[in-house]
Amino acid sequence: MWTSLKRLYHKMGSPKWFYEISTRWSPWFLLVGSALMLTGVVWGLAFAPADYLQGNSFRIIYIHVPASLLSQSAYIMMAAAGLVGLVWKMKMSFVVAKVIAPIGASLAIMSLLTGAIWGKPTWGTWWVWDARLTSMLILLFLYFGVIAIYNAIENEEMANKAAGILAIVGSINIPIIKYSVEWWNTLHQPATITMTKKPTMAPEMFIPLLLTIIGFYCWFAVWVFARTRNELLWRERRTKWVKNLVINAPTNSGAHQ
Amino acid sequence: MALEYLPDTDLSSKPLLCARGLYCERDDRVLFKDLNFDLSSGQIVRLAGPNGAGKSSLMRILLGLSASYEGALYWHEQDMARALYDFRSDLLYIGHDVGVKSNLTPEENLAWSCPNVTKQDIYGALKRVGLSGFEDLLTHGLSAGQQRRVALARLFLSSKELENKSLWILDEPFTAIDKHGVADLEQVIVNHAQQGGLVILTTHHDLSVPVKTIMLGQTQKASL
Amino acid sequence: MALEYLPDTDLSSKPLLCARGLYCERDDRVLFKDLNFDLSSGQIVRLAGPNGAGKSSLMRILLGLSASYEGALYWHEQDMARALYDFRSDLLYIGHDVGVKSNLTPEENLAWSCPNVTKQDIYGALKRVGLSGFEDLLTHGLSAGQQRRVALARLFLSSKELENKSLWILDEPFTAIDKHGVADLEQVIVNHAQQGGLVILTTHHDLSVPVKTIMLGQTQKASL
Amino acid sequence: MFFDSFSSFIEMGGHGLYVWACYGLAAIIVAVNFISPVLTRKKVIKDIQRQNRREQN
Amino acid sequence: MNGSMKALFKRDMLLAFRSRGDLLNPLMFFLMVASLFPLAVSPDPLFLGQIAPGVIWVGALLATLLSLDLLFKSDFEDGSLEQMLLMPQPTLLMVIVKVLVHWLVAGLPLAFIAPLLGLMLGLPSGGFAPLMATLLLATPILSLLGAIGAGLTVGLRKGGMLMPLLILPLYIPVLIFASSAVQAGVLGNSYVGHMAFLGAYLALTLVVAPVATASALRISIAR
Amino acid sequence: MNGSMKALFKRDMLLAFRSRGDLLNPLMFFLMVASLFPLAVSPDPLFLGQIAPGVIWVGALLATLLSLDLLFKSDFEDGSLEQMLLMPQPTLLMVIVKVLVHWLVAGLPLAFIAPLLGLMLGLPSGGFAPLMATLLLATPILSLLGAIGAGLTVGLRKGGMLMPLLILPLYIPVLIFASSAVQAGVLGNSYVGHMAFLGAYLALTLVVAPVATASALRISIAR
Ligand code: HEM
Ligand SMILES: Nc1ncnc2c1ncn2[C@@H]1O[C@H](COP(=O)(O)OP(=O)(O)OP(=O)(O)O)[C@@H](O)[C@H]1O
Ligand SMILES: Nc1ncnc2c1ncn2[C@@H]1O[C@H](COP(=O)(O)OP(=O)(O)OP(=O)(O)O)[C@@H](O)[C@H]1O
Ligand SMILES: [Mg+2]
Ligand SMILES: [Mg+2]
């Protein structure tokens, strides 16, 4: 048991193994994710009933909520990957952490934008200093910080370590930030404008939401795999397996691919 | 990568600092590879090579300030990572940037970098480097050479009785120093080696004493 | 204060730069007083003296960067204050701090400091100082000597045809430069003088060419 | 189908602009996430090929 | 603009874009100030809207002030400033080029991002036009006046934050007129008078500041 | 504290007092923010009193943030930081000493000058006690967390003002709890809970920050 775990760990640390396995899995994630998303979105947009309070604007939920959830869990994943990299000196893990940062940031932006747009018809304003909004904004800043570190440090190894430290410190603070923002808001905020509490949703509204959430996670995997493979190619450009792979790769003129 | 050895001055003693298979690459250019050496006490070792050969890089690797290398380092035959405390206790390093605060006086600078010595010792050392009378001026009001002399005064403080640093790593210690000063410094370095210290230095000056040379090669393209 | 003259190489020509009765005092210490000299084109002039003698101070006075002096300066027999534009048009100065931006590439650095030359000239000059292949790396990633070489490349660009700077003032140009580089530089300096330029420099190295020396004295207490 | 006509589907009871803007923006961000690694991959492969060629010379 | 000045302009823009951090520095600071206030004061949009003109303008002023530190400092430290002062061209030209770059990099972007801050702070809609207008007109003043302070303090070892002390008094008219222009806009009043004052102040500083900065630099370098 | 650390402490205090500008830097900034607001927002003391807790705390936060830039920078530039990392003593100790000095020089004085700002901004009398209390308790947090950012960005050429981006999110809990403690004080409510939270946050950062900073410095120097 222990030895097989160890073997798995070493395998995961191997770029070539990761490259191959992710190449094999990506299409499946893509397929499943796209199917789920298609079903969920069509169902949510066209078939689910309108909310009796918010009318049709509630259909934004099917992208807003998955993006919000995923951007938060992506940060945790990134910090965890950074921790593994720092503690066990596993380079693969650093690659994954690096690759998650821009994806997570894009999802945080998606959450903020869809939320802001949703706010206009429901709250009558694009932006309020609500607890959730504020903490999502701060999460975006945390992502920006990590990305900025990667951009600012040229030496890759150093950049990975520095970003790892920042991500970990940030993740320790996420619950504190969230708690403080929520607490702050309940103190000041007139209760008129708060985000709807977890609704006891009708199943025909809830199931598509579930589908899109799972679909987003699948897509997320595809994106992480694709970016990781690119990073690996460049890092391992001197190795034989990459050279072979690149020789066989179509050049820019390749009309067939 | 050529490695020139002067015969070891003291073959009987165990080596202080060993390097095995050092490899360093910068911007796709291999600075050195498969570098092996054993340095023992009593030696003066010069890292030589043209500008950009990798002398300072090698020094930073030895110091543990740089992580961009492969290979193994041993201090007193112990793995460097485990001997770090001992290594650093024994170490005196003066780099391209000498770590002298321009807003402190020479005396204050030394009081910080050599915390175990007395004020009298510091005045003595400053006198030795020709800075008597300048002890209480702010360092930024000194000339280029005088500023470097403040840092070099540490060499006069690190003798056996005072700071007891046996390993000196000096990156171009003679920069901006006048003739007379260079001769003085060479003398200190020789004395230190004779008292059982190990000195690793780089310089583009000609040294008037015989030293062991580690030659770092011309630039090469990386090819794995 | 001792003033040693080599016989002027070209007595017929009018002097380019004259100093009359220069006096400079720092922290109650007279660096030099009653300093007079006439420098003409074709000369290589070395300001000599130990660390803290006042070589850099004198240079900054000549450059008009320092106001803490007494005496008069003439450029082409005109009062310096009135000849300032001509003087500066003819001037190339490289000081202790070389004015190379670490966040620019060598090429970009030269493009700024020598705006009248072509990209090709710059590449040529960088090649001359041994930096071909490094043109597009940021300067802070270069070694200590290579960074100084970026500044020194200006010497190769200031020849008659290109920037046409006849007066070179160089404060320890050989700092951090390897043997080979020093020889190269000396050659450029000699060439410049032979083509009618005037070079004023300081260095603690031994020069292999004969030069006129202005000796700045040992430190003295001011006594008025 | 919840809506009785295509135009009412587009209109979304007056909220069409908001809903479609959201889905549009989301589509853009998703598309970027899908496309950018593909472009990067092409560039990386080209760079490696160029480097290999340089080293063969 | 002759060759040297063009080269200097290019160099400084290049440097600004290369160290992107410095470029975004004032902008980031500006954004930060605006997002901290709701957290510290109150999230109520109506209340925030009242203080928005003042907060935004104080933010802009502080952001510019902080970025001024870099105007001559790195050039002083690595010897480039000496080189510039030794150019045959008048120092005045050099100062103008550097101030121009500073404004393009640190001042102008403030004007463009200000509407976003207005949104976040619930600025009433009448305030947006005067906010942008005052920023466009008055950020050059901030750069110009700031350059004098930067020139006087460059290379000072004991000087640290001397600069605010020197130039803040000169900034205060700008702050008063600009923020009350925005407030006038919010209330629907005319703010032509304010703009005229700012324009006149700009004309004055355009004449005085570069000369003063050039002499300040000569003094600083001779130290 | 052993010999080296004592010497380091002495050196850093000496440096702080020698370049008095840097020492007064945060204090000046703090004062500036407080004196600009009445000009920019409204001179009405009642209105100002409402925003005073927030303004003062935002000022304190920004002031600390700006002073952090200097924590390791000059030591990095002249090679002293290398020397410190080469000392046999654990880097952790060195970090603690430097953070301590930073707090003594840049944080603590804020607490003592804050009442003056309270007066200038018309802070109701109930706010003074919690203002000082929160500043005393929370400025160490700012120094500690800030050190992480300073350690990560020291020596970065592209980094400029990266730091705010990195650590401001971490400062936000402090800002929220501290400013609402003051507000609670103004309203005559208890602010024990706020203080307890700040105390807990201080404990956490005391554990985490020095370790993180030490590793950050090792990474920065190895670049
Ligand atoms: C910029 C504005 C907004 C942001 C940043 C934002 C952010 C978030 C976040 C982070 C979540 C996930 C919370 C969790 O951890 O479970 C979430 C969920 C949700 N949001 Fe928003 N939101 C915004 C605007 C809105 C608006 C305007 C509405 C509708 C009135 C809304 C409705 C919801 C609902 C229904 C959920 C799921 C319920 C739940 O999981 O608790 N959001 N939002
Ligand atoms: N921080 C860095 N990042 C990237 N490359 C670097 C860095 N430092 C040095 N290098 C590269 O390593 C090479 C060797 O530099 P190093 O400073 O070791 O040379 P050196 O032998 O000490 O030269 P010098 O005699 O000029 O001091 C340089 O050519 C440079 O290209
Ligand atoms: N900015 C200054 N303020 C006060 N005194 C100064 C200043 N600069 C130099 N000095 C004094 O002037 C003396 C001469 O300095 P200078 O830099 O001219 O010497 P130098 O001959 O160039 O020496 P080196 O060979 O070390 O470069 C120094 O001893 C110093 O005390
Ligand atoms: Mg070197
Ligand atoms: Mg000198």
Side-chain angles (χ1 to χ4, degrees):
Chain A
M1 171 62 194
W2 179 240
T3 44
S4 65
L5 258 181
K6 230 172 154 182
R7 194 160 346 113
L8 181 67
Y9 170 81
H10 279 295
K11 258 195 199 161
M12 273 177 7
S14 149
K16 186 160 179 267
W17 180 83
F18 190 97
Y19 190 94
E20 281 161 1
I21 215 81
S22 68
T23 314
R24 229 173 317 132
W25 288 1
S26 276
W28 296 105
F29 276 108
L30 181 61
L31 198 74
V32 174
S34 305
L36 288 172
M37 283 304 293
L38 197 70
T39 325
V41 166
V42 170
W43 186 343
L45 271 181
F47 295 95
D51 187 84
Y52 76 103
L53 257 182
Q54 305 183 10
N56 284 310
S57 75
F58 103 98
R59 292 172 202 281
I60 294 171
I61 202 173
Y62 299 110
I63 46 178
H64 172 73
V65 170
S68 305
L69 288 177
L70 190 49
S71 67
Q72 292 174 85
S73 34
Y75 193 90
I76 304 298
M77 290 186 227
M78 179 177 72
L83 185 68
V84 171
L86 281 170
V87 174
W88 287 287
K89 312 226 176 329
M90 191 164 155
K91 285 191 180 151
M92 264 316 301
S93 185
F94 276 137
V95 179
V96 172
K98 175 178 181 179
V99 143
I100 289 178
I103 303 176
S106 75
L107 290 167
I109 291 173
M110 196 192 289
S111 161
L112 283 166
L113 287 179
T114 53
I117 295 173
W118 196 357
K120 191 70 188 168
T122 40
W123 302 337
T125 172
W126 301 102
W127 184 264
V128 289
W129 291 96
D130 168 272
R132 268 216 185 112
L133 278 61
T134 308
S135 58
M136 181 50 80
L137 187 65
I138 297 169
L139 181 71
L140 180 66
F141 283 149
L142 285 172
Y143 271 122
F144 278 164
V146 173
I147 293 171
I149 282 274
Y150 282 118
N151 282 336
I153 305 181
E154 287 126 65
N155 185 319
E156 215 170 297
E157 209 183 322
M158 304 304 147
N160 284 332
K161 288 184 188 166
I165 290 176
L166 184 67
I168 292 165
V169 174
S171 73
I172 294 173
N173 271 279
I174 280 191
I176 297 170
I177 292 170
K178 219 171 151 146
Y179 167 69
S180 67
V181 169
E182 264 161 30
W183 179 85
W184 155 71
N185 193 254
T186 48
L187 267 194
H188 303 249
Q189 177 78 5
T192 48
I193 313 176
T194 42
M195 215 183 298
T196 47
K197 279 270 167 262
K198 186 156 258 165
T200 42
M201 254 193 266
E204 61 269 38
M205 292 158 108
F206 183 66
I207 293 170
L209 180 59
L210 208 62
L211 296 183
T212 53
I213 290 174
I214 302 171
F216 251 85
Y217 271 86
C218 291
W219 275 1
F220 176 74
V222 176
W223 299 336
V224 171
F225 284 159
R227 283 174 185 257
T228 306
R229 283 204 304 275
N230 290 340
E231 288 283 324
L232 289 181
L233 278 183
W234 183 247
R235 280 161 174 253
E236 305 282 311
R237 61 189 180 279
R238 294 259 162 64
T239 59
K240 225 187 222 135
W241 69 269
V242 170
K243 282 189 175 165
N244 285 337
L245 200 135
V246 165
I247 289 169
N248 298 329
T251 47
N252 50 352
S253 60
H256 57 281
Q257 42 176 348
Chain B
M1 270 32 39
L3 200 61
E4 289 176 19
Y5 265 64
L6 280 192
D8 282 341
T9 45
D10 186 0
L11 274 173
S12 65
S13 76
K14 286 181 185 169
L16 273 182
L17 183 65
C18 302
R20 290 288 171 272
L22 287 191
Y23 171 89
C24 175
E25 183 188 317
R26 286 284 202 177
D27 299 325
D28 288 341
R29 206 161 55 87
V30 176
L31 293 180
F32 42 81
K33 69 177 174 209
D34 204 22
L35 195 61
N36 301 290
F37 50 77
D38 299 274
L39 310 179
S40 27
S41 73
Q43 287 184 322
I44 300 174
V45 182
R46 174 181 187 169
L47 307 183
N51 288 136
K55 304 179 292 296
S56 302
S57 303
L58 177 54
M59 278 189 169
R60 297 180 70 80
I61 289 169
L62 296 180
L63 291 164
L65 287 180
S66 168
S68 53
Y69 74 101
E70 285 159 35
L73 289 169
Y74 303 89
W75 177 248
H76 279 296
E77 304 191 311
Q78 249 196 322
D79 192 84
M80 186 59 98
R82 296 178 51 210
L84 217 54
Y85 184 88
D86 293 341
F87 174 74
R88 293 199 176 139
S89 306
D90 268 353
L91 172 75
L92 191 162
Y93 166 63
I94 297 180
H96 280 298
D97 294 324
V98 289
V100 164
K101 281 276 159 206
S102 59
N103 241 353
L104 295 179
T105 65
E107 189 209 324
E108 288 160 354
N109 265 304
L110 288 174
W112 167 67
S113 49
C114 306
N116 304 323
V117 303
T118 66
K119 198 162 166 168
Q120 231 166 349
D121 294 329
I122 290 177
Y123 270 71
L126 285 174
K127 192 167 180 189
R128 291 288 300 275
V129 293
L131 287 177
S132 61
F134 293 88
E135 295 95 346
D136 295 331
L137 291 177
L138 291 190
T139 311
H140 70 79
L142 300 181
S143 82
Q146 287 171 325
Q147 292 189 16
R148 288 198 65 98
R149 279 163 183 260
V150 176
L152 294 170
R154 290 179 64 195
L155 298 182
F156 294 89
L157 285 171
S158 84
S159 61
K160 269 263 161 354
E161 316 82 63
L162 298 169
E163 289 267 316
N164 196 16
K165 306 276 196 188
S166 65
L167 173 64
W168 291 2
I169 299 192
L170 312 175
D171 203 350
E172 303 202 31
F174 306 131
T175 297
I177 303 295
D178 61 27
K179 278 268 168 51
H180 191 72
V182 170
D184 266 9
L185 275 181
E186 284 191 1
Q187 195 50 51
V188 185
I189 288 172
V190 170
N191 286 351
H192 183 65
Q194 277 170 353
Q195 286 169 20
L198 167 61
V199 182
I200 304 177
L201 56 77
T202 70
T203 179
H204 297 297
H205 286 244
D206 287 316
L207 289 174
S208 58
V209 291
V211 295
K212 167 169 167 158
T213 303
I214 295 177
M215 194 75 190
L216 297 178
Q218 296 290 357
T219 59
Q220 296 187 338
K221 277 271 158 213
S223 61
L224 221 140
Chain C
M1 261 44 21
L3 201 60
E4 289 177 20
Y5 263 65
L6 278 192
D8 281 341
T9 46
D10 186 0
L11 273 173
S12 67
S13 76
K14 287 182 186 166
L16 274 182
L17 183 65
C18 302
R20 289 291 171 268
L22 287 190
Y23 171 89
C24 175
E25 181 188 318
R26 285 286 201 177
D27 299 325
D28 289 342
R29 206 161 55 88
V30 176
L31 293 181
F32 43 81
K33 68 177 175 211
D34 204 24
L35 195 61
N36 300 288
F37 49 78
D38 298 274
L39 311 178
S40 30
S41 74
Q43 285 184 322
I44 300 175
V45 182
R46 174 181 186 168
L47 306 184
N51 289 137
K55 304 179 292 296
S56 302
S57 303
L58 177 54
M59 278 189 169
R60 296 179 72 79
I61 289 169
L62 297 181
L63 291 164
L65 287 181
S66 168
S68 54
Y69 73 101
E70 285 159 34
L73 288 169
Y74 303 90
W75 177 248
H76 278 296
E77 302 190 313
Q78 251 197 319
D79 192 81
M80 187 59 99
R82 296 177 51 212
L84 215 54
Y85 184 87
D86 293 341
F87 174 74
R88 290 195 178 145
S89 305
D90 268 352
L91 172 73
L92 190 163
Y93 166 63
I94 297 180
H96 280 300
D97 295 325
V98 289
V100 164
K101 281 276 161 206
S102 58
N103 239 353
L104 295 179
T105 65
E107 189 209 323
E108 288 159 355
N109 265 303
L110 289 174
W112 167 67
S113 48
C114 306
N116 303 325
V117 304
T118 65
K119 198 163 165 164
Q120 233 166 344
D121 294 329
I122 290 177
Y123 270 72
L126 285 174
K127 193 167 178 187
R128 290 287 301 275
V129 293
L131 287 177
S132 62
F134 293 89
E135 295 94 347
D136 295 332
L137 292 177
L138 291 190
T139 310
H140 69 80
L142 300 182
S143 81
Q146 287 171 324
Q147 292 188 16
R148 289 198 65 99
R149 279 163 183 261
V150 175
L152 294 170
R154 291 179 62 194
L155 299 182
F156 294 89
L157 285 171
S158 83
S159 62
K160 270 265 163 342
E161 315 83 64
L162 297 169
E163 289 266 318
N164 196 14
K165 305 279 196 187
S166 65
L167 173 63
W168 290 2
I169 299 192
L170 311 175
D171 202 350
E172 304 204 30
F174 306 131
T175 298
I177 303 295
D178 60 28
K179 279 268 165 53
H180 191 72
V182 170
D184 266 9
L185 274 181
E186 285 191 358
Q187 194 51 53
V188 184
I189 288 171
V190 170
N191 286 349
H192 183 66
Q194 278 170 356
Q195 285 171 20
L198 168 60
V199 182
I200 304 176
L201 56 76
T202 70
T203 179
H204 298 295
H205 287 242
D206 287 315
L207 289 173
S208 58
V209 291
V211 295
K212 164 167 170 161
T213 302
I214 296 177
M215 194 73 191
L216 296 178
Q218 296 293 357
T219 59
Q220 297 186 338
K221 276 276 157 210
S223 58
L224 229 140
Chain D
M1 181 96 175
F2 174 78
F3 298 96
D4 25 4
S5 70
F6 185 71
S7 61
S8 72
F9 176 59
I10 295 298
E11 235 170 63
M12 292 254 166
H15 288 154
L17 197 62
Y18 301 111
V19 174
W20 292 117
C22 275
Y23 276 78
L25 281 169
I28 291 171
I29 292 172
V30 166
V32 167
N33 274 320
F34 272 115
I35 293 168
S36 101
V38 175
L39 296 181
T40 317
R41 183 183 166 83
K42 279 190 182 154
K43 189 177 167 300
V44 167
I45 287 180
K46 233 189 281 171
D47 284 354
I48 297 176
Q49 282 172 339
R50 203 181 305 136
Q51 196 174 340
N52 286 346
R53 252 180 283 129
R54 223 179 330 158
E55 275 166 19
Q56 273 155 24
N57 302 335
Chain E
M1 214 162 40
N2 70 1
S4 303
M5 292 305 134
K6 233 185 249 160
L8 180 61
F9 180 80
K10 244 167 96 177
R11 181 193 91 137
D12 274 15
M13 289 304 276
L14 199 61
L15 277 171
F17 280 89
R18 184 124 328 139
S19 51
R20 257 159 290 158
D22 296 346
L23 187 72
L24 295 177
N25 183 341
L27 218 60
M28 279 285 310
F29 184 85
F30 196 42
L31 261 175
M32 267 162 41
V33 171
S35 42
L36 290 180
F37 262 90
L39 296 174
V41 176
S42 149
D44 174 17
L46 281 180
F47 186 73
L48 279 176
Q50 281 182 283
I51 61 170
V55 170
I56 294 176
W57 251 102
V58 169
L61 203 140
L62 293 176
T64 320
L65 193 64
L66 295 170
S67 64
L68 279 167
D69 209 26
L70 301 173
L71 191 54
F72 299 116
K73 198 172 169 197
S74 95
D75 283 337
F76 174 80
E77 279 171 0
D78 64 16
S80 311
L81 190 61
E82 274 173 14
Q83 296 290 342
M84 288 176 205
L85 292 180
L86 290 175
M87 291 190 309
Q89 291 81 7
T91 312
L92 197 66
L93 285 181
M94 184 271 273
V95 169
I96 291 173
V97 170
K98 286 197 84 83
V99 171
L100 179 65
V101 172
H102 180 263
W103 178 68
L104 286 176
V105 163
L108 193 56
L110 296 186
F112 290 109
I113 209 173
L116 180 62
L117 272 81
L119 269 181
M120 288 167 72
L121 293 177
L123 183 70
S125 58
F128 283 83
L131 182 63
M132 280 193 76
T134 50
L135 278 169
L136 281 173
L137 192 61
T139 43
I141 308 181
L142 301 185
S143 293
L144 283 162
L145 289 176
I148 305 178
L152 282 171
T153 55
V154 67
L156 273 194
R157 317 221 139 239
K158 278 196 205 163
M161 203 65 162
L162 198 62
M163 206 149 65
L165 209 57
L166 295 182
I167 53 172
L168 219 67
L170 305 179
Y171 276 6
I172 283 177
V174 177
L175 182 69
I176 291 175
F177 277 83
S179 62
S180 50
V182 182
Q183 256 151 1
V186 169
L187 300 174
N189 301 336
S190 153
Y191 47 88
V192 178
H194 306 77
M195 296 302 282
F197 170 85
L198 290 175
Y201 201 38
L202 175 59
L204 182 71
T205 44
L206 259 175
V207 174
V208 175
V211 184
T213 309
S215 353
L217 282 176
R218 295 228 154 265
I219 294 167
S220 289
I221 206 97
R223 234 174 334 238
Chain F
M1 213 159 45
N2 69 2
S4 304
M5 292 305 133
K6 233 185 253 162
L8 179 61
F9 180 80
K10 246 167 96 177
R11 182 193 90 137
D12 274 13
M13 288 304 277
L14 199 62
L15 277 171
F17 280 89
R18 183 122 332 138
S19 51
R20 254 158 293 156
D22 296 346
L23 186 73
L24 294 178
N25 182 341
L27 223 57
M28 278 283 309
F29 185 86
F30 197 40
L31 267 173
M32 266 163 46
V33 171
S35 44
L36 291 179
F37 263 89
L39 296 175
V41 175
S42 146
D44 173 20
L46 279 181
F47 186 73
L48 278 177
Q50 280 182 285
I51 62 169
V55 171
I56 295 177
W57 251 100
V58 169
L61 203 140
L62 293 176
T64 319
L65 192 65
L66 295 170
S67 64
L68 278 167
D69 209 26
L70 303 172
L71 191 54
F72 300 115
K73 197 170 170 200
S74 94
D75 284 336
F76 175 81
E77 280 170 0
D78 64 17
S80 311
L81 190 60
E82 273 174 15
Q83 296 289 345
M84 289 176 205
L85 292 180
L86 288 176
M87 291 191 306
Q89 289 80 7
T91 312
L92 199 65
L93 285 181
M94 184 269 272
V95 169
I96 291 173
V97 170
K98 286 198 84 81
V99 171
L100 179 65
V101 173
H102 180 265
W103 179 68
L104 287 175
V105 163
L108 194 55
L110 296 186
F112 289 111
I113 208 173
L116 179 62
L117 272 82
L119 276 179
M120 288 165 67
L121 293 177
L123 183 70
S125 58
F128 284 84
L131 183 62
M132 283 195 71
T134 49
L135 278 169
L136 280 173
L137 192 61
T139 43
I141 308 180
L142 301 185
S143 294
L144 282 162
L145 287 176
I148 304 177
L152 283 170
T153 55
V154 66
L156 274 192
R157 322 223 135 237
K158 278 195 207 165
M161 201 64 161
L162 200 61
M163 208 146 65
L165 196 62
L166 301 188
I167 54 172
L168 221 67
L170 309 182
Y171 277 4
I172 282 176
V174 176
L175 182 69
I176 289 174
F177 276 84
S179 63
S180 49
V182 182
Q183 260 153 357
V186 170
L187 300 175
N189 300 336
S190 152
Y191 47 89
V192 179
H194 307 75
M195 297 300 283
F197 171 86
L198 290 175
Y201 200 39
L202 175 59
L204 181 71
T205 43
L206 260 174
V207 174
V208 176
V211 184
T213 308
S215 2
L217 283 175
R218 296 227 153 266
I219 292 167
S220 289
I221 207 96
R223 230 159 357 225

